[in-house]
Amino acid sequence: MKPWYEDENFWLRIAPVLFNSGRWSAAPEEMEKAMRLLKLKRGSSVLDACCGVGRHSVELARMGYRVTGVDQVAEFLEAARDTADAEGFEIEFIHADMRSFFHPFEFDAAICMFTSIGYFENLEEDRQVLSNIRMALKPEGRLLVEVIGKEVVARNFRKNEWYEDSDIGLVASEYRIIRNWTRLENRWIVVNAGERGEYTFSHRLFSAAELEALLLSAGFKRVECFGSLAGAPYDENAELLVASAWA
């Protein structure tokens, strides 16, 4: 069996949870803050690594950036192209695994949002993804990574939660810290129109120091960490872990 992160059917099944209307409506503010944090001029070229259905790619195009989105899920890219075409945006979408993506010195900046790093069992594969992004950046280009930091998880940890969503029905989640605080295991149960789906997966937890060290080991020259996309300090009030790294 393929690992969950290589299983296209897994991604298609959980897509309604990942990309509900709330996620789409948050994209304009997220990208406005992200581009302000990167100090990126309109018209610059941006790589959206692990772009999914393109909610950030489309918003960046709307803001006047030249965008390339990359994802390994073909149906996600088809949906992204449909959205871009419907809105009249020219966006390049590439079907590729970020572990093998190689487009050297092409982009002014890159984003990797929504905890899209840390899937792999082997940390070296995460390092390879970041190294490939670094190689894709022009000299002095910058990468913005957004994840749920280990410190934030520790402060806010709950074993379970549930909510109702008008798009997808009832979602119940269970969480476990595993492997000495290196990974977070997620179990989602989704009930919609009488149908029940259950999905289990885990991803690596990075502290700010660990993410900084990984980025430096992938070849980035300097890393700065923040507690929000607005650039708040990464301290006891942090909402997220956001790292800005210079190629």
Side-chain angles (χ1 to χ4, degrees):
M1 290 180 60
K2 291 181 179 179
W4 64 270
Y5 45 81
E6 293 180 357
D7 183 354
E8 187 156 328
N9 287 327
F10 170 85
W11 288 108
L12 296 177
R13 290 194 298 269
I14 68 168
V17 180
L18 295 177
F19 308 120
N20 61 21
S21 58
R23 306 279 191 208
W24 277 95
S25 63
E29 182 178 1
E30 289 170 350
M31 288 300 94
E32 190 67 41
K33 290 178 178 178
M35 294 302 102
R36 193 179 303 131
L37 198 59
L38 289 175
K39 298 181 174 63
L40 195 64
K41 295 179 181 179
R42 306 292 169 113
S44 299
S45 56
V46 184
L47 169 65
D48 185 1
C50 308
C51 67
V53 295
R55 65 189 184 98
H56 290 132
S57 295
V58 169
E59 193 55 42
L60 287 170
R62 194 190 319 280
M63 294 167 65
Y65 294 99
R66 294 179 288 115
V67 186
T68 296
V70 179
D71 205 278
Q72 68 170 2
V73 182
E75 288 195 36
F76 283 1
L77 295 176
E78 289 177 16
R81 289 188 188 99
D82 288 345
T83 302
D85 289 346
E87 300 208 29
F89 298 131
E90 291 187 10
I91 301 174
E92 179 185 28
F93 289 107
I94 298 175
H95 183 212
D97 187 319
M98 285 304 304
R99 289 173 291 184
S100 56
F101 180 78
F102 187 68
H103 284 242
F105 311 118
E106 190 169 325
F107 302 98
D108 297 304
I111 60 171
C112 186
M113 306 290 291
F114 201 29
T115 310
S116 294
I117 191 75
Y119 299 159
F120 310 116
E121 292 291 327
N122 186 344
L123 184 62
E124 186 56 39
E125 292 181 275
D126 293 315
R127 192 184 339 269
Q128 185 63 57
V129 169
L130 294 173
S131 178
N132 290 347
I133 295 174
R134 179 189 59 81
M135 286 295 298
L137 291 171
K138 298 174 184 177
E140 300 303 319
R142 289 175 67 182
L143 164 65
L144 195 71
V145 178
E146 176 209 49
V147 299
I148 301 175
K150 184 182 293 187
E151 297 90 344
V152 177
V153 172
R155 185 190 67 212
N156 298 333
F157 185 76
R158 289 187 291 179
K159 289 185 177 181
N160 50 67
E161 62 180 349
W162 69 275
Y163 62 93
E164 290 185 281
D165 185 290
S166 58
D167 295 335
I168 54 180
L170 176 68
V171 180
S173 304
E174 295 180 353
Y175 307 105
R176 281 200 313 140
I177 303 298
I178 60 175
R179 303 183 197 174
N180 299 319
W181 270 98
T182 62
R183 298 187 76 85
L184 176 66
E185 184 179 84
N186 304 260
R187 177 173 175 250
W188 292 358
I189 298 172
V190 182
V191 180
N192 187 18
E195 296 187 5
R196 180 183 185 276
E198 184 173 329
Y199 315 101
T200 300
F201 59 99
S202 73
H203 60 82
R204 191 177 302 278
L205 287 170
F206 293 104
S207 69
E210 289 166 340
L211 183 56
E212 179 183 16
L214 184 63
L215 285 160
L216 292 172
S217 71
F220 287 91
K221 295 187 294 189
R222 181 162 69 91
V223 179
E224 190 172 1
C225 291
F226 304 95
S228 73
L229 285 170
Y234 193 70
D235 57 18
E236 70 278 5
N237 299 311
E239 303 167 4
L240 299 163
L241 171 53
V242 178
S244 175
W246 281 257

